[in-house]
Every structure is written in C-alpha cells, then in structure tokens.
Amino acid sequence: MSNAIAEFIDGLPKAELHLHIEGTLEPEMVFTLAERNRVNLPYSSVEALRAAYDFENLQDFLNLYYQATRVLLTERDFHDLASAYLARARAQNIRHAEIFFDPQAHTRRGVPLAAIVEGIGAALDEASRSNGPTTRLIACFLRDLDAADAMRTLDSLLPWRARIVGVGLDSAEANNPPAKFAETFSRARRLGFRAVAHAGEEGPAAFVADALDKLGAERIDHGVRAIEDPELVARLVREQVPLTVCPLSNIRLRVYSDMPHHPVSRLIDAGVLVTINSDDPAYFGGYVNANYRAVQEAFDLTTSDLAALAKASFAASWLEPAEKATKIEEVQLYLQRLNKARAALDIPKHHGVNRIPIMTPFNVFHD
Ligand code: ADE
Ligand code: ZN
C-alpha cells in the first residue's frame, strides 16, 4: 500500500457503527484491571494472552472474550475502557461512534447495571464535551441465553432509556435464530428503542431476512452471508439496508479464508449500503483504519471509493439528518482538498478504477 493511501485513510472523517466496547479491551488493560481488582488470570503475561488470539471460529473467540471481561468490575473500569477506545477513535478520525455493550456478560457475574452504564456514559459525555467523537450507545442481548433473560435485561435498561438509544443481538449465532427474540425486540421497539442485530456472520443468509422481518432491525451487523442469496442481496439494495461489515473480524474468525475471498467488494458492486467497521479491534488485529486499509489493498479501491464508504458510514448512522449532511459534506471537502493537492504531490488522480459503480445508490455520495 502506498503511504499516500494509508495517510488518506487515516485522515478520512468516518463513523464506526459496529464496535463492541468489550472488544476494545487490550491485553495490557486486562492485566492492569486484573491487578487493580485482584482478579486471577490464567495467563502469565500480556504476550501469553496475546498469543491466545488465534481463533478457530466465533465460539472460540467468544470464550476468550467473556473470560477477559471478568476483569471489568467497577464503574471506573467501564469508564476507563470506553475512554481508551474514544481516544483511539479520535486518533483514527472517527467522528461518530455507535457503541455496543453486552449487559448480560457483566450482570451475570454480579456487576450492577448502573456501574456499566454510568461508567461508559461518563466517558461518552467527556468525549462530547471535548473533541468527540459523537456517540450513541446500544445494548446487545446475548442470543445464546434464553429469551426470558433478554426480556428481563430489557426491563432493567429502562432507567437508562435516555442514555441507551437502541438494542442489538450478538454472541453465538448458530442455533440461535432471530425469531427467538421476536417478542423482546417487539417490546423494545414499542418502548422507543431502535433495533439492530448481528445476522449472517456464521449463521445463514435466511437469518438476515429474519432479523429484518422478525426483529425490525434497521441495520444488519455483518450480514456478509447475504451474498449467498441473490434475491436477498437485491432486497438489501432495494430497501437500502445498511450492513456493518467487519472485514478483519471475518478473516480472524475464519468466516472467509482471506481478504480476496471476502464478499465485501461483491456486496459493494451489487449496490448494498456497506459500511466498514472493526467489531472487536483488540482481538482482530486492528481498529477501523486497519479495516479500511485491508479492503483497499485487497480490492484496489480508489480514494473516491474510500470516501464513498466513509459517507455511507454517516448515511447509515443514527445521527440527526442535519448532522449527517454536515459530516458527509466534511468527507466531500476532505476528498476535494486531496484532489487539489494531488498535482502538487504528483499523485495520479486515480490509483485504480473506481470500484463503487456510478449507477449504485452510492452515487449520491460520489465525487
Ligand atoms: N460479540 C462480540 N463480537 C461479536 C461478534 N463478532 N459476533 C457475535 N457476537 C459478538
Ligand atoms: Zn459484532
């Protein structure tokens, strides 16, 4: 990759829409919090823990992910975790972040919901008072627990109704179809929560359709296996359902063998509203810019394509329409500034052929 493209990605204003705050727990912080909270770890060092980050599949990853969350116990821990992510997000020029957390992963260990939400919330407030990013908070239900547990969790969220804008669905997808949570999501939406769901990560394409039809999901997290059903892809394009794709995650969890086999470019070519995200960046080898770089390199995306992806990330966000328009304009200005500077820097106008075709809905965002 040329330095110029990597720098372009670093400076590109972008939104992150698929980010588990627990998935930003870096090994160094695991050890710091373990010491602070006197939690025993089955790893002798940061290096030994990092060496365990070699996953066979989603479940293999989740086992380690839940084990690591045991060091998160107090409001201060949750604050520090979120604050560290937000600092990294600023450094990556993430201007807006919609952040997942897993209440049940902590409440089932006896951590009060108040400690989780107040801790994360304080960090989000600090970001909004300083350099950003702007944020939204989304509570995910663990789909491998039963539906009654999700419903009880939903009720327990109500005191923080103003803080938590939406609900999501994550954890082990196989054998835990969206339909299992139809009632929970129906009640959540009646209560005014917005809805997203992980679907079509390891589960089949049919789960993507079910997340839309049975849960009322507004966006699909991952959704990559939709590529196996051309009619579903056509529907996603027609209805402009955003997919929050996490390319490095899918490779590290062996959903696809390598980036050239990842369907992200075929989904983009079909006109699906694809966004690029990091999922659990402490575990999967990189934050959001690393994901943009991996996709750029594998599919030879141009700066114009990358800008279109960044615009899509704002378009698919839950920002207010006026804020969306402002952020999308910022991406456009960034691209125009670069185009003006190209001649001086002696960079050819197009690194390659634009991948995001002119006739797709992306066109509304294209330069
Ligand atoms: N929880 C954290 N990361 C996840 C992922 N990629 N899929 C499902 N559940 C998750
Ligand atoms: Zn995820």
Side-chain angles (χ1 to χ4, degrees):
M1 148 164 322
S2 81
N3 278 343
I5 290 259
E7 278 172 31
F8 177 81
I9 290 169
D10 287 347
L12 185 62
K14 58 188 79 70
E16 171 141 72
L17 307 178
H18 185 159
L19 181 281
H20 303 263
I21 201 65
E22 297 89 346
T24 68
L25 186 51
E26 292 283 347
E28 289 78 7
M29 190 178 267
V30 172
F31 274 81
T32 304
L33 296 183
E35 200 168 310
R36 181 153 104 190
N37 293 328
R38 299 183 204 293
V39 175
N40 279 327
L41 292 175
Y43 299 93
S44 56
S45 65
V46 167
E47 292 69 35
L49 174 55
R50 209 182 286 281
Y53 291 8
D54 179 19
F55 309 113
E56 295 285 328
N57 53 36
L58 175 58
Q59 188 60 58
D60 196 24
F61 155 70
L62 289 170
N63 294 341
L64 186 62
Y65 168 91
Y66 292 126
Q67 187 186 61
T69 59
R70 292 188 309 113
V71 301
L72 293 163
L73 289 172
T74 66
E75 182 173 327
R76 179 178 167 211
D77 300 338
F78 285 93
H79 167 271
D80 293 355
L81 177 69
S83 191
Y85 166 68
L86 291 164
R88 284 179 183 271
R90 269 192 295 280
Q92 302 235 330
N93 220 14
I94 292 172
R95 309 298 304 277
H96 178 68
E98 302 195 351
I99 298 174
F100 297 139
F101 73 110
D102 288 329
Q104 291 151 294
H106 314 298
T107 53
R108 69 181 172 185
R109 300 181 288 109
V111 178
L113 190 58
I116 309 165
V117 183
E118 298 293 336
I120 298 172
L124 305 187
D125 286 345
E126 284 158 20
S128 80
R129 284 195 300 268
S130 53
N131 275 343
T134 55
T135 56
R136 300 284 186 274
L137 189 58
I138 301 170
C140 289
F141 304 115
L142 302 186
R143 68 200 307 159
D144 40 358
L145 302 185
D146 63 31
D149 205 303
M151 195 65 99
R152 279 193 298 276
T153 301
L154 173 59
D155 285 328
S156 71
L157 297 174
L158 293 180
W160 291 279
R161 177 64 199 81
R163 167 66 78 187
I164 300 165
V165 295
V167 295
L169 187 63
D170 66 2
S171 204
E173 188 181 5
N175 303 318
N176 292 299
K180 181 175 164 186
F181 297 95
E183 264 183 69
T184 316
F185 272 67
S186 165
R187 177 163 153 70
R189 286 186 297 114
R190 277 199 311 276
L191 288 165
F193 289 100
R194 303 189 71 163
V196 293
H198 283 54
E201 178 188 19
E202 285 198 344
F207 283 13
V208 174
D210 285 352
L212 298 173
D213 297 330
K214 301 190 170 156
L215 303 182
E218 299 171 49
R219 284 193 307 245
I220 300 295
D221 298 313
H222 296 294
V224 285
R225 289 193 58 198
I227 198 72
E228 295 165 29
D229 178 350
E231 277 180 29
L232 175 60
V233 171
R235 176 184 178 187
L236 297 177
V237 174
R238 202 170 51 245
E239 298 178 12
Q240 281 296 280
V241 178
L243 299 188
T244 63
V245 175
C246 307
L248 290 175
S249 163
N250 297 148
I251 305 305
R252 293 297 279 265
L253 299 186
R254 307 193 193 195
V255 178
Y256 301 101
S257 57
D258 54 25
M259 206 53 82
H261 289 95
H262 194 287
V264 63
S265 92
R266 280 173 284 149
L267 290 164
I268 290 170
D269 288 348
V272 176
L273 185 53
V274 167
T275 67
I276 302 293
N277 309 272
S278 71
D279 205 6
D280 300 287
Y283 293 90
F284 298 150
Y287 285 73
V288 83
N289 289 352
N291 279 272
Y292 273 78
R293 285 197 298 274
V295 172
Q296 190 283 326
E297 223 162 21
F299 303 109
D300 202 24
L301 300 188
T302 65
T303 50
S304 177
D305 292 330
L306 294 163
L309 287 168
K311 289 176 185 174
S313 73
F314 291 117
S317 77
W318 291 344
L319 286 167
E320 296 303 319
E323 289 176 290
K324 270 189 199 185
T326 304
K327 304 272 197 210
I328 289 170
E329 184 63 23
E330 281 175 30
V331 178
Q332 185 60 22
L333 291 174
Y334 178 77
L335 183 62
Q336 280 168 354
R337 264 202 314 277
L338 174 95
N339 282 339
K340 281 193 193 136
R342 274 179 206 274
L345 292 171
D346 203 20
I347 302 167
K349 169 138 174 60
H350 286 300
H351 167 76
V353 176
N354 285 347
R355 288 289 302 221
I356 300 180
I358 293 302
M359 291 316 290
T360 70
F362 275 102
N363 190 29
V364 292
F365 310 126
H366 227 282
D367 75 330

